[in-house]
């Protein structure tokens, strides 16, 4: 009887200890992973959800870098839109972050934050009873998603003789292989072609809520409808390793760096390398792009009571 | 316990059973001044030499404040005396939104007329009550525009028919009942094109006279066929829309029509995504009347 009590107390203690164990950082591989980049939201009460016509209300947004790429000061920019900015006395210009926005990493589990102040808004048009508006803000930033994926380089002869050291069969992307960013490498598969060629099929997908654009494009330029169309859904893919990997980028010669156009938010890039021996390697991929995301807040403006 | 439950249930039912007086909105279908005769004022048949008392109930169902007069007359010749036109001032506030409800102004007016005399047979006539007033309103929905037609169609359709609550159609004798929006890409930007459907309330008619230049242009018979309605359409903060059917801000409303359509457009240039009110300002004169048929009985015949 006594023994069974001790056993129960031991079991309960174990459960308690297990429960108290500090929650991990969620990092199981090289990267935290995820689809977050830089998010934008309105600061609490900036603006308030309801105010009077004569009120001057503060407009502020907060940018949070929850992805795994560091952004220098001014690189992430935001602007207010969705309303007639003149009638609210607001600027239609982009405003850059005053400080750097560090991504999530070893030393910063949360990532960096920056508040952008757009000054005060005051509605200068007549209001009868009340009028509802939706104030929107967009964030535009250059970003990079990194991928370090274990791949198997093996020639056909090694496979058929059973001397391969690894398998080309299964899905190569594992948890923690891809850094957090809105554009993701969602799949890497391999196949052996010919006697010594290994082909990688790399699937790239926009998994964020926003739109992706060609890297290096200026945010201000994206305000022009034609530039927006011309640069939308374009991502630069750069394969750093294996060194001799070449990809079919359609718009350029076979190379390890080029632009991929996403169709319906995704695209598969085919790359290949020559396998002279059977070995495991890291497929080191960089995706470069500019990302545009937005947020909104509904507000109601009431007719002034002090006429 | 059962009793408490029953009491609560009763309170709940009573609460739900209230007619909801005062609840509602100031937007909806066209409506305005409503005139009705008070019971037996006048009675449907009057004896010769009997005083004629007319009682009216006037309710303002629209947003326009009414500062006018209400007049009562009849259709019978003044040979028999009786109802000679009488007018009295009428002041009614427009409906107002107060929280979830609407406040509605109403009043009653009494008129006394001398009796019908010298009637040599039973006569039929109608008592007419009417009031003419000016109404100026601003109504209109929020319209979204975007830089690229074909993109973000779910969020902001390039072709859109706006009806119902989204119209923010202020209740008045003439108000809007539909807006058809169209975004047209043009060299250097976007053009906003709208077809605005206006409707008048069932009772009453639009009043007013055409100015001389319009009559000269349209012909003298135009005065019989049209009435003027002042219209201004503004995409708030971006300027006025040009409307095909407007001339110097006047729309000629065909008297035989209850509904009319205005086609307007504005070139907005290169524009970011915007949701902004379309202000449709209407100004007109409106007359509402109510008729009650009565019989005047010849007293001598009854003897």
């Amino acid at each position: 009887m006594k023994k069974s009590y001790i056993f129960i107390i031991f079991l309960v203690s174990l459960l308690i200890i297990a429960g108290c164990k500090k929650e991990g950082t969620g990092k199981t591989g090289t990267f935290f992973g995820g689809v977050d980049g830089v998010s934008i939201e309105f600061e609490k009460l900036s603006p308030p959800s309801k105010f009077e016509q004569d009120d001057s209300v503060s407009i502020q947004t907060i940018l949070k870098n929850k992805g795994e790429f560091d952004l220098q000061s001014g690189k992430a920019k935001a602007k207010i839109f969705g309303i007639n900015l003149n009638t609210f006395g607001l600027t239609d210009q982009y405003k850059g972050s005053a400080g750097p926005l560090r991504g999530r990493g070893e030393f910063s589990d949360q990532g960096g934050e920056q508040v952008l102040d757009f000054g005060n808004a005051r509605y200068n048009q007549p209001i009868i009873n009340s009028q509802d508006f939706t104030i929107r803000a967009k964030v535009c930033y250059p970003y990079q998603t990194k991928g370090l994926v274990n791949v198997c380089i093996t020639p056909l002869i090694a496979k058929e003789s059973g001397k391969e050291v690894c398998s080309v069969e299964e899905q190569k992307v594992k948890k923690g292989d891809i850094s957090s960013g809105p554009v993701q490498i969602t799949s890497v598969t391999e196949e052996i072609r010919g006697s010594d060629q290994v082909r990688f099929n790399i699937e790239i997908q926009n998994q964020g809520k926003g739109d992706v654009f060609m890297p290096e494009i200026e945010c201000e330029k994206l305000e022009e409808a034609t530039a927006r169309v011309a640069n939308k859904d374009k991502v630069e893919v750069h394969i750093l390793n294996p060194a001799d990997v070449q990809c079919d980028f359609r718009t350029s010669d076979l190379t390890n760096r080029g632009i991929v156009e996403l169709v319906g938010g995704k695209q598969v890039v085919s790359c290949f390398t020559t396998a002279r021996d059977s070995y495991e390697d890291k497929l080191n991929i960089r995706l470069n792009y500019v990302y545009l995301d937005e947020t909104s807040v509904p507000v109601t403006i009431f007719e002034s009571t002090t006429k | 316990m059962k009793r408490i439950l029953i009491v609560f249930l009763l309170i709940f039912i009573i609460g739900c059973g209230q007619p909801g007086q005062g609840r509602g909105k100031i937007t909806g279908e066209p409506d305005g001044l409503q005139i009705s005769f008070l019971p037996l004022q006048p009675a449907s048949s009057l004896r010769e030499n009997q005083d004629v008392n007319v009682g009216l109930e006037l309710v303002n169902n629209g947003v326009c404040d009414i500062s006018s007069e209400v007049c009562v007359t009849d259709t019978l010749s003044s040979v028999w005396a009786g109802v000679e036109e009488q007018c009295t001032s009428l002041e009614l506030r427009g409906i107002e939104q107060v929280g979830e409800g609407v406040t509605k102004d109403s009043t009653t007016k009494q008129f006394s007329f001398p009796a019908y005399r010298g009637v040599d047979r039973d006569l039929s006539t109608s008592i007419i009550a009417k009031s003419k007033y000016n109404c100026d309103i601003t109504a209109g929905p929020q319209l979204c525009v975007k830089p690229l037609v074909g993109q973000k169609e779910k969020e902001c359709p390039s072709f859109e028919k706006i009806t119902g609550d989204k119209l923010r159609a202020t209740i008045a004798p003439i108000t809007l009942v539909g807006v058809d929006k169209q975004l047209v890409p043009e060299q250097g930007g976007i053009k906003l094109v709208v077809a605005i459907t206006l409707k008048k309330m069932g009772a009453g008619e639009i009043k007013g006279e055409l100015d001389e230049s319009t009559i000269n242009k349209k012909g003298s018979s135009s005065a019989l066929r049209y009435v003027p309605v002042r219209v201004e359409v503004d995409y708030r903060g971006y300027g006025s829309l040009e409307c095909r059917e407007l001339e110097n801000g006047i729309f000629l409303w065909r008297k035989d029509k209850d509904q009319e359509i205005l086609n307007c457009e504005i070139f907005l240039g290169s524009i970011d995504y915007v949701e902004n009110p379309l202000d449709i300002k209407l100004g007109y004169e409106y007359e509402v009347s109510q008729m009650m048929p009565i019989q005047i009985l010849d007293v001598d015949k009854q003897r």
Side-chain angles (χ1 to χ4, degrees):
Chain A
M1 186 66 179
K2 204 176 181 184
K3 266 185 186 174
S4 66
Y5 270 128
I6 291 167
F7 179 73
I8 289 166
I9 289 166
F10 175 71
L11 208 67
V12 169
S13 308
L14 262 182
L15 280 172
I16 289 167
I17 290 163
C20 289
K21 194 183 165 191
K22 200 185 167 189
E23 202 176 281
T25 54
K27 197 174 165 189
T28 54
T30 313
F31 302 107
F32 288 96
V35 297
D36 293 319
V38 177
S39 68
I40 184 165
E41 54 196 77
F42 283 94
E43 274 275 63
K44 268 186 187 166
L45 299 174
S46 294
S49 60
K50 290 174 177 148
F51 54 93
E52 272 198 16
Q53 193 182 347
D54 294 333
D55 292 345
S56 185
V57 298
S58 158
I59 307 286
Q60 290 184 335
T61 60
I62 182 160
L63 305 185
K64 292 178 184 173
N65 189 357
K66 288 178 178 170
E68 288 176 84
F69 183 66
D70 295 338
L71 289 171
Q72 294 165 359
S73 298
K75 286 287 181 188
K77 296 172 177 179
K79 71 173 277 191
I80 304 297
F81 76 109
I83 47 172
N84 184 343
L85 294 163
N86 287 329
T87 59
F88 281 83
L90 292 168
T91 175
D92 64 350
Q93 299 298 305
Y94 266 108
K95 199 174 165 68
S97 62
L101 271 168
R102 288 182 63 84
R104 292 174 76 191
E106 286 296 331
F107 306 107
S108 168
D109 190 22
Q110 296 296 312
E113 286 184 15
Q114 287 285 329
V115 172
L116 298 185
D117 189 350
F118 292 92
N120 284 1
R122 189 168 185 271
Y123 195 62
N124 61 23
Q125 298 287 309
I127 295 264
I128 300 162
N129 289 317
S130 68
Q131 183 97 47
D132 296 329
F133 289 96
T134 302
I135 302 179
R136 292 162 199 266
K138 61 174 118 177
V139 62
C140 173
Y141 56 97
Y143 220 65
Q144 187 179 76
T145 305
K146 302 179 194 98
L148 266 180
V149 182
N150 282 323
V151 288
C152 178
I153 314 286
T154 193
L156 184 65
I157 192 164
K159 192 184 177 216
E160 288 185 344
S161 62
K163 287 182 180 168
E164 81 266 36
V165 297
C166 50
S167 167
V168 292
E169 306 299 334
E170 79 269 20
Q171 171 60 249
K172 296 296 166 187
V173 174
K174 301 279 185 297
K175 195 167 188 277
D177 283 352
I178 314 296
S179 69
S180 177
V183 182
Q184 283 288 299
I185 298 154
T186 47
S187 164
V188 174
T189 55
E190 287 182 272
E191 54 185 300
I192 297 170
R193 287 173 64 86
S195 59
D196 61 352
Q197 201 181 75
V198 177
R199 180 168 155 167
F200 310 108
N201 294 315
I202 304 163
E203 189 184 67
I204 293 155
Q205 214 172 324
N206 177 8
Q207 293 198 314
K209 293 187 276 103
D211 293 327
V212 61
F213 296 93
M214 185 98 98
E216 309 298 330
I217 185 87
E218 285 179 21
C219 297
E220 289 79 2
K221 190 85 183 155
L222 289 176
E223 295 299 298
E224 295 167 22
T226 46
R228 210 180 157 94
V229 172
N231 291 283
K232 195 168 179 262
D233 290 327
K234 287 177 179 161
V235 179
E236 186 196 61
V237 179
H238 188 189
I239 312 286
L240 280 80
N241 189 65
D244 59 346
V245 166
Q246 292 192 306
C247 305
D248 179 10
F249 287 115
R250 289 186 189 168
T251 51
S252 59
D253 292 334
L254 292 173
T255 172
N256 69 332
R257 188 175 196 159
I259 300 294
V260 167
E261 187 167 354
L262 309 184
V263 179
K266 62 182 173 184
Q267 189 58 274
V268 176
V269 194
S270 287
C271 304
F272 59 88
T273 187
T274 307
R276 287 180 193 87
D277 206 356
S278 180
Y279 59 95
E280 274 191 304
D281 203 352
K282 289 270 186 192
L283 184 66
N284 190 348
I285 315 170
R286 297 276 187 276
L287 305 180
N288 296 305
Y289 49 90
V290 163
Y291 208 77
L292 200 64
D293 208 349
E294 61 182 64
T295 187
S296 63
V297 62
V299 296
T300 305
I301 306 177
F302 290 96
E303 187 177 344
S304 177
T305 48
T306 52
K307 281 180 182 171
Chain B
M1 186 66 184
K2 248 183 183 176
R3 272 187 196 165
I4 295 169
L5 270 174
I6 289 165
V7 168
F8 268 110
L9 203 67
L10 273 174
I11 292 169
F12 186 70
I13 290 164
I14 291 163
C16 291
Q18 290 291 325
Q21 201 176 8
R23 289 184 77 83
K25 286 183 285 188
I26 60 161
T27 56
E29 286 285 306
D31 209 343
L33 179 65
Q34 184 190 317
I35 304 174
S36 46
F37 288 93
L38 291 170
L40 299 173
Q41 295 186 49
S44 55
S45 60
L46 293 171
R47 286 160 60 89
E48 186 186 358
N49 301 324
Q50 180 185 339
D51 285 349
V52 185
N53 293 315
V54 175
L56 299 176
E57 186 184 26
L58 301 117
V59 183
N60 188 1
N61 294 314
V63 294
C64 290
D65 289 341
I66 297 171
S67 182
S68 177
E69 55 182 18
V70 56
C71 300
V72 174
T73 185
D74 72 348
T75 52
L76 208 60
S77 162
S78 56
V79 171
W80 292 286
V83 176
E84 289 276 329
E85 187 176 74
Q86 264 185 39
C87 296
T88 185
S89 70
L90 176 67
E91 302 284 335
L92 285 173
R93 284 177 63 87
I95 53 168
E96 274 178 46
Q97 192 87 47
V98 181
E100 293 286 298
V102 161
T103 58
K104 204 177 271 187
D105 199 4
S106 63
T107 187
T108 54
K109 297 282 179 188
Q110 298 290 340
F111 295 83
S112 287
F113 299 93
Y116 286 96
R117 293 181 201 286
V119 175
D120 50 3
R121 57 190 159 87
D122 289 352
L123 290 173
S124 293
T125 185
S126 288
I127 307 290
I128 301 165
K130 59 180 155 187
S131 178
K132 190 163 73 177
Y133 62 101
N134 289 311
C135 187
D136 288 278
I137 60 155
T138 301
Q142 289 255 16
L143 292 185
C144 66
V145 294
K146 56 187 178 178
L148 284 168
V149 170
Q151 292 202 341
K152 295 197 171 177
E153 283 297 318
K154 206 172 170 186
E155 205 176 346
C156 178
S158 302
F159 298 86
E160 194 177 4
K161 191 176 181 71
I162 300 153
T163 53
D165 279 353
K166 277 188 175 177
L167 268 180
R168 290 175 61 92
T170 316
I171 297 173
I174 302 174
T175 195
L176 57 152
V177 288
V179 170
D180 284 272
K181 182 196 88 175
Q182 195 181 338
L183 297 178
V184 182
E186 280 195 1
Q187 189 75 36
I190 288 286
K191 185 183 265 185
L192 170 65
V193 180
V194 290
I196 301 160
T197 309
L198 301 172
K199 191 179 173 186
K200 68 179 267 299
M201 62 191 263
E205 53 190 22
I206 309 162
K207 288 283 175 180
E209 283 172 13
L210 303 184
D211 63 26
E212 215 164 293
S213 63
T214 311
I215 294 170
N216 290 338
K217 204 172 166 187
K218 294 251 172 196
S220 54
S221 64
S222 60
L224 301 170
R225 287 188 287 135
Y226 299 104
V227 273
V229 174
R230 291 185 310 280
V231 182
E232 195 187 325
V233 185
D234 200 53
Y235 193 47
R236 199 182 291 174
Y238 291 98
S240 293
L241 279 78
E242 273 186 36
C243 302
R244 217 184 299 161
E245 297 83 358
L246 289 188
E247 206 157 299
N248 297 323
I250 299 291
F251 176 71
L252 301 183
W253 188 294
R254 272 185 60 158
K255 282 183 177 177
D256 58 341
K257 285 201 165 183
D258 283 345
Q259 211 162 289
E260 290 274 20
I261 295 174
L262 269 167
N263 294 285
C264 311
E265 58 184 50
I266 184 172
F267 181 69
L268 297 165
S270 178
I271 191 168
D272 201 349
Y273 183 98
V274 164
E275 278 176 45
N276 194 50
L278 180 76
D279 289 333
I280 302 161
K281 293 169 191 161
L282 304 173
Y284 47 87
E285 209 176 3
Y286 205 84
E287 188 179 83
V288 179
S289 59
Q290 188 62 265
M291 198 185 278
M292 187 176 180
I294 57 165
Q295 278 248 312
I296 302 145
L297 306 175
D298 178 9
V299 180
D300 297 334
K301 195 178 138 190
Q302 304 230 326
R303 279 179 190 150

